[in-house]
Amino acid sequence: MDGCLHCVFTWQKACSIFHTQGWKHLRRSFSTEKVIHKDHSLPNPSWSKDLRLLFDQFMKKCEDGSWKHLPSSECKVPQRIHSFKTYFLDSKPVKEDQLSQARPFTRSYEVGQGFEYAMFYNEDEKRTVCLFQGGPYLEGPPGFLHGGALATMIDTTLGVCTISCMGLFMTANLNINFKSPIPLCSVVVISSQLDKVEGRKVFVSCNVRSVDEKTLHSDATGLFIKLDPEKSLT
Ligand SMILES: CCCCCCCCCC(=O)SCCNC(=O)CCNC(=O)[C@H](O)C(C)(C)COP(=O)(O)OP(=O)(O)OC[C@H]1O[C@@H](n2cnc3c(N)ncnc32)[C@H](O)[C@@H]1OP(=O)(O)O
């Protein structure tokens, strides 16, 4: 399990470093002994009572080891740098001044204004649950969450759901049914599962429900493809 999670966080961290500081810095960063990151997936003052309650319930489920809370960053030293080298080496350079402002999309807003969420993973059941509160900067229709913001969280949750398959993945297909709008600043539960693995293809699905589970806001399927070391991404 630790190895799987390790891979996911390594991927996330490597993407962030690569996009903000380039390949040379990525190589340097991963050769250093220890990196400390803030964990954005822990309760903060912007979290509603619903989000805190659900978070506490899932933390309780973690006590017997069946579920694991996924921190927003990883502090361990990655061992799999050779994989990223394979994928990133041929990437086209992007201007430094543009990259200096880059950051992971879902963690790019001020606390409480954008994506507030925590994720939990059940390895035996190959399930990932995301507790998500969409803040005021994510408005679509007046008073409701933007569909693209929900798509982002669905993509992220389904992406995390692929972690039981070792390797580096990218979303190839995302199919979302929007069934009921989500009131802005409310909390929803995104429940995802790994359905099938066929070679490099991982099929995942999820539903998005209100906290009381009475409202089905959305359901979705996703296809993630394991990256081929023989192919450049650019
Ligand atoms: C905490 C960390 C987790 C964070 C989660 C983050 C979630 C966010 C993830 C993203 O947003 S990723 C960014 C959005 N995605 C992309 O930009 C991907 C762009 N697409 C690509 O780079 C390539 O198309 C891709 C790497 C996905 C696949 O290219 P490949 O050349 O490696 O695959 P190939 O074309 O050989 O196809 C492999 C298989 O997949 C199938 N396939 C590929 N794309 C497909 C597609 N779109 N729909 C259906 N099938 C598809 C293809 O038919 C084939 O099936 P078979 O093996 O059965 O022949």
Side-chain angles (χ1 to χ4, degrees), residues 59-130:
M59 287 306 277
K60 273 243 169 297
K61 290 185 186 186
C62 293
E63 285 172 6
D64 66 5
S66 56
W67 285 84
K68 180 146 185 158
H69 172 237
L70 303 177
S72 69
S73 59
E74 169 69 347
C75 299
K76 291 179 190 169
V77 179
Q79 305 296 322
R80 296 164 60 84
I81 187 60
H82 63 280
S83 302
F84 296 104
K85 184 176 176 182
T86 304
Y87 298 122
F88 292 143
L89 197 56
D90 295 333
S91 294
K92 289 176 185 147
V94 183
K95 286 180 187 160
E96 286 291 330
D97 56 337
Q98 291 171 322
L99 289 178
S100 64
Q101 295 301 313
R103 61 194 68 189
F105 182 24
T106 58
R107 299 298 185 188
S108 61
Y109 290 84
E110 296 157 41
V111 169
Q113 305 300 313
F115 300 91
E116 291 294 335
Y117 64 97
M119 289 211 199
F120 295 85
Y121 178 66
N122 184 314
E123 187 181 25
D124 290 343
E125 298 175 8
K126 305 280 185 269
R127 289 173 57 202
T128 300
V129 168
C130 175

Side-chain angles (χ1 to χ4, degrees), residues 8-9 11-12 155-157 159-160 169-173 200-201 223-228 231 233:
V8 169
F9 296 126
W11 170 235
Q12 193 176 40
D155 191 15
T156 305
T157 306
V160 168
F169 293 85
M170 286 190 97
T171 317
N173 182 271
R200 291 167 55 215
K201 295 186 284 191
L223 169 63
F224 287 73
I225 309 283
K226 188 172 183 173
L227 299 185
D228 182 345
K231 295 182 182 175
L233 281 174

Side-chain angles (χ1 to χ4, degrees), residues 139-147 181 184:
E139 186 178 52
F144 292 98
L145 186 74
H146 195 292
L184 209 55

Side-chain angles (χ1 to χ4, degrees), residues 1 15 29 36 88 100 102 116 120 151 213 221:
M1 179 65 200
C15 286
S29 297
I36 304 295
F88 292 143
S100 64
E116 291 294 335
F120 295 85
E213 298 185 359
T221 57

Side-chain angles (χ1 to χ4, degrees), residues 182-198:
I182 297 173
L184 209 55
C185 303
S186 68
V187 176
V188 293
V189 179
I190 306 174
S191 303
S192 69
Q193 62 187 46
L194 190 152
D195 297 323
K196 194 170 55 169
V197 180
E198 280 179 4

